[in-house]
Amino acid sequence: MTTSTHDILIVGAGMAGLTTAIGLAGAGFDVGVIDRMPIEAQHDEAFDGRASAIAFASCNLLKAIGLWSHLEAHAQPILEIRVSDGPSLMHLHFDQAAIGDGPLGNMIENRHLRLALAARLKEVEGITLYAPAAIVDTGTSGTRAYALLEDGRRIDAALMLAVDGRGSQTRARAGIEVTSWSYGQVGIVCAIGHAESHAGIAHERFLPAGPFAILPLTGNRSSLVWTEEARFADTVMALGPRAFQHEVQKRCGDFLGNVEILGGRWCFPLGLQYAHAYTGDRLALVGDAAHAIHPIAGQGLNLGLRDSAALIEVLSDARKAGSDIGAPDVLEAYARWRRADNASLIAVTDILNRLFSNDIAPIRLARDVGIAAVNQIDPLKRFFMEHARGTVGDLPKLLRGEAL
Ligand SMILES: Cc1cc2nc3c(=O)[nH]c(=O)nc-3n(C[C@H](O)[C@H](O)[C@H](O)COP(=O)(O)OP(=O)(O)OC[C@H]3O[C@@H](n4cnc5c(N)ncnc54)[C@H](O)[C@@H]3O)c2cc1C
């Protein structure tokens, strides 16, 4: 049996996994990354219609680890967010000019994020990729965490990170339980081209089935996340191109002029899940493996990037202090740092979705009163904007744009 040895072994080369790997390598760690998929399969230039709102603070992390030069040309700044409640005239308006310190975030197509990660991987030293590779077991032996691969290889490290997504097998093998529930909703995702400019404004419309988000991409294009009741998912996905376009146009209204669907459409079941612990024996959970939330606030990946920034700082400090990076007190420092922030966003997205995904008259009235109140009270508006930018709480240095 051949054994390869690293400081840190990351399971999962998704957006959170590779960002963490690049950040850790930049901090001087020797990192191994395993994924069951070939890396090239994830780095396809074809547009798959998916895009992410990357908060201002998360962009600081991407800048700090050298990804931004690969992304800048593809990033659409979010200058305003407008939230409206169905046909009600009440709406919330968040304008970055009120904060005056750069955009609320950037919309970036997932393919560009992945291509930037692939390009940066070629530039940094200290990362070994094992992909595609099938893991048959993970565990610990003495002061090492290990993964056994189907081809007989053994990879070990002082610390393993489970960044293998919502269905993390690494988490399950460590015996860490999760709480999860389904919202009975799906997120239908596609991109549109339109006649008029979006002017950098993100729109979130609360319709009875759930939020309908129109998110600005570069050029006259936008990304849509159409939340629909799960029981109608097959019907919507089976609509012919003209009928689908008609439904999209109806929901968008006419402020963007005529819209056309660009490329395909995708359907994701929506649910909430959180792990009962963020750490185990020489193990830390990062990203969707630790928490997967409703996309209502576009914060799922942002939470993963915040995990990543906190963990890189904790591990870098531990090494500078001469500590064992897999020691329980080091891992507990990471878990303590991330638990409260993640828990509050899990709760907020859950409550918002329940509050806004219905058409019950008294609830509609209450939320319209709430919207009107937030709109009138500047400190409250500022509070929500700081949350959208990811600039609240005890931020890790990389999210503040500072070196480690
Ligand atoms: C409709 C929708 C819209 C969204 N919009 C936004 C948004 O605007 N902003 C935002 O911040 N977030 C958004 N999100 C959330 C975001 O997409 C996720 O939080 C993010 O992609 C999770 O990344 P991850 O790297 O943690 O996990 P994943 O993307 O799931 O990556 C996991 C990786 O692990 C690998 N893997 C899995 N199992 C194994 C195994 N056994 N062995 C080896 N490798 C394995 C996989 O191949 C994959 O590469 C949205 C989500 C949805 C559904």
Side-chain angles (χ1 to χ4, degrees):
M1 183 197 298
T2 59
T3 300
S4 306
T5 295
H6 302 283
D7 296 330
I8 297 164
L9 179 58
I10 298 179
V11 181
M15 292 188 287
L18 285 187
T19 303
T20 310
I22 290 167
L24 286 169
F29 289 100
D30 174 57
V31 185
V33 184
I34 308 178
D35 204 286
R36 61 183 174 193
M37 304 281 290
I39 296 293
E40 307 75 49
Q42 300 187 34
H43 299 151
D44 187 348
E45 289 198 24
F47 183 28
D48 68 0
R50 293 196 60 180
S52 299
I54 305 296
F56 177 83
S58 302
C59 293
N60 283 342
L61 165 67
L62 302 182
K63 285 173 190 165
I65 65 170
L67 281 170
W68 199 249
S69 58
H70 300 289
L71 283 172
E72 205 165 3
H74 308 291
Q76 168 61 49
I78 303 171
L79 304 177
E80 295 179 35
I81 302 176
R82 291 189 188 170
V83 181
S84 57
D85 188 9
S88 157
L89 293 178
M90 296 292 175
H91 71 274
L92 260 174
H93 180 204
F94 298 114
D95 186 346
Q96 60 100 28
I99 291 199
D101 185 25
L104 298 164
N106 284 278
M107 280 302 299
I108 305 178
E109 293 165 35
N110 288 9
R111 67 170 164 160
H112 289 308
L113 275 169
R114 294 200 177 99
L115 287 168
L117 288 162
R120 188 72 187 132
L121 272 181
K122 294 196 180 108
E123 295 167 355
V124 293
E125 287 179 2
I127 300 179
T128 308
L129 291 173
Y130 303 89
I135 298 176
V136 291
D137 196 18
T138 48
T140 54
S141 167
T143 58
R144 307 295 290 172
Y146 67 83
L148 292 181
L149 305 187
E150 198 177 45
D151 60 13
R153 279 181 293 171
R154 177 189 169 104
I155 305 161
D156 80 8
L159 174 65
M160 182 179 295
L161 308 184
V163 203
D164 44 351
R166 183 186 280 256
S168 171
Q169 289 173 12
T170 315
R171 178 191 65 216
R173 271 192 296 265
I176 298 175
E177 294 190 3
V178 295
T179 293
S180 54
W181 57 79
S182 162
Y183 288 117
Q185 295 171 320
V186 292
I188 295 164
V189 174
C190 68
I192 56 171
H194 35 79
E196 306 295 334
S197 164
H198 48 54
I201 304 171
H203 294 261
E204 180 110 87
R205 300 202 162 142
F206 290 108
L207 303 178
F212 184 84
I214 310 167
L215 306 160
L217 297 177
T218 50
N220 274 11
R221 299 178 309 139
S222 293
S223 168
L224 300 185
V225 182
W226 167 357
T227 308
E228 189 48 81
E229 289 180 49
R231 62 195 169 112
F232 297 130
D234 289 346
T235 312
V236 175
M237 292 305 284
L239 288 175
R242 283 177 66 117
F244 183 69
Q245 177 163 345
H246 175 73
E247 289 301 320
V248 165
Q249 181 84 60
K250 208 165 75 186
R251 283 164 178 76
C252 288
D254 52 14
F255 76 101
L256 290 171
N258 287 339
V259 305
E260 60 165 321
I261 310 295
L262 305 175
R265 55 188 109 142
W266 287 262
C267 183
F268 300 89
L270 301 181
L272 181 143
Q273 178 173 287
Y274 58 89
H276 295 186
Y278 284 5
T279 61
D281 190 12
R282 298 201 168 265
L283 178 71
L285 311 189
V286 173
D288 274 21
H291 41 69
I293 61 175
H294 195 288
I296 189 166
Q299 289 292 342
L301 178 60
N302 285 296
L303 282 188
L305 297 179
R306 300 221 280 269
D307 293 346
S308 172
L311 187 60
I312 294 166
E313 187 167 326
V314 165
L315 297 179
S316 168
D317 286 351
R319 204 186 41 178
K320 281 180 204 153
S323 307
D324 171 2
I325 57 168
D329 59 328
V330 172
L331 300 185
E332 181 49 30
Y334 162 66
R336 219 176 23 244
W337 201 349
R338 294 304 306 143
R339 241 184 325 245
D341 181 34
N342 287 336
S344 65
L345 239 125
I346 287 169
V348 166
T349 51
D350 190 58
I351 291 166
L352 279 180
N353 185 50
R354 285 171 200 278
L355 195 62
F356 281 96
S357 299
N358 69 66
D359 206 17
I360 301 165
I363 296 183
R364 218 172 45 220
L365 179 66
R367 66 194 185 210
D368 283 354
V369 170
I371 284 178
V374 174
N375 233 0
Q376 296 302 318
I377 305 170
D378 273 353
L380 211 51
K381 253 174 112 169
R382 205 182 169 87
F383 170 84
F384 281 111
M385 277 196 276
E386 295 290 6
H387 270 278
R389 302 173 90 227
T391 45
V392 278
D394 180 13
L395 287 187
K397 286 181 184 161
L398 293 172
L399 291 176
R400 296 198 301 256
E402 294 169 17
L404 283 178

